[in-house]
Amino acid sequence: MILYITRRIHFSAAHRLFNPTFTFEKNEEIFDKCNTVHGHNYTVDVTVKGTPDPETGYVLDLKILKRILEEHIVDHVDHKHLNEVALLDGLIPTAENIAVVFWNIIEKHLPVGELYSVKVFESDNNWAEYLGEQA
Ligand code: NI
């Protein structure tokens, strides 16, 4: 029996999308309005896949997942400038890159179950979803 459980977190942060190897004109052309500092109220859905423990009925106690996400993610990005945080060092802070970085962090700390997906919402209309390396 396999189930999927999800913990949602929120954080607010600033970012600017640009590639330092591009010319000013090329950055303007590709990233347009995102090539200026602006912010988002991010929502992140983290889904873990697993079999419920027969004694607890839990795939993973969501309190544990909540703690992992607060300690290893939210504390490092909330009210920060994402171009300057260590977690995203050297990366353009797109929702795509954020999803992959968060995946790698969460996977390292998950005590039980299997990480299934990380969805990073920049708004209700725009998000990126990472399902890990697909074989
Ligand atoms: Ni943006």
Side-chain angles (χ1 to χ4, degrees), residues 15 38 40 122:
H15 75 168
H38 62 281
H40 295 284
E122 284 190 346

Short mmCIF file of all heavy atoms in Angstrom, two decimals, residues 15 38 40 122, ligand 1:
data_model
loop_
_atom_site.label_atom_id
_atom_site.label_comp_id
_atom_site.label_asym_id
_atom_site.label_seq_id
_atom_site.Cartn_x
_atom_site.Cartn_y
_atom_site.Cartn_z
N HIS A 15 14.21 38.22 -5.68
CA HIS A 15 15.18 37.65 -6.60
C HIS A 15 15.27 38.51 -7.85
O HIS A 15 14.45 39.37 -8.09
CB HIS A 15 14.91 36.17 -6.92
CG HIS A 15 13.78 35.91 -7.87
ND1 HIS A 15 13.56 34.68 -8.44
CD2 HIS A 15 12.78 36.71 -8.35
CE1 HIS A 15 12.50 34.73 -9.22
NE2 HIS A 15 12.01 35.94 -9.18
N HIS A 38 12.76 41.89 -7.68
CA HIS A 38 11.34 41.87 -7.32
C HIS A 38 11.13 40.70 -6.36
O HIS A 38 12.05 39.93 -6.11
CB HIS A 38 10.46 41.73 -8.57
CG HIS A 38 10.69 40.46 -9.31
ND1 HIS A 38 11.76 40.26 -10.15
CD2 HIS A 38 10.00 39.29 -9.31
CE1 HIS A 38 11.72 39.04 -10.65
NE2 HIS A 38 10.67 38.42 -10.15
N HIS A 40 8.50 37.50 -4.47
CA HIS A 40 7.37 36.58 -4.59
C HIS A 40 7.02 36.07 -3.20
O HIS A 40 7.90 35.94 -2.34
CB HIS A 40 7.72 35.36 -5.44
CG HIS A 40 8.00 35.67 -6.87
ND1 HIS A 40 7.02 35.96 -7.78
CD2 HIS A 40 9.18 35.75 -7.54
CE1 HIS A 40 7.58 36.20 -8.96
NE2 HIS A 40 8.89 36.08 -8.85
N GLU A 122 5.59 30.28 -7.66
CA GLU A 122 5.91 31.72 -7.55
C GLU A 122 4.62 32.51 -7.45
O GLU A 122 4.60 33.64 -6.96
CB GLU A 122 6.69 32.19 -8.78
CG GLU A 122 8.14 31.76 -8.76
CD GLU A 122 8.97 32.41 -9.85
OE1 GLU A 122 8.38 32.99 -10.80
OE2 GLU A 122 10.20 32.34 -9.75
NI NI B 1 10.31 36.43 -10.21
#
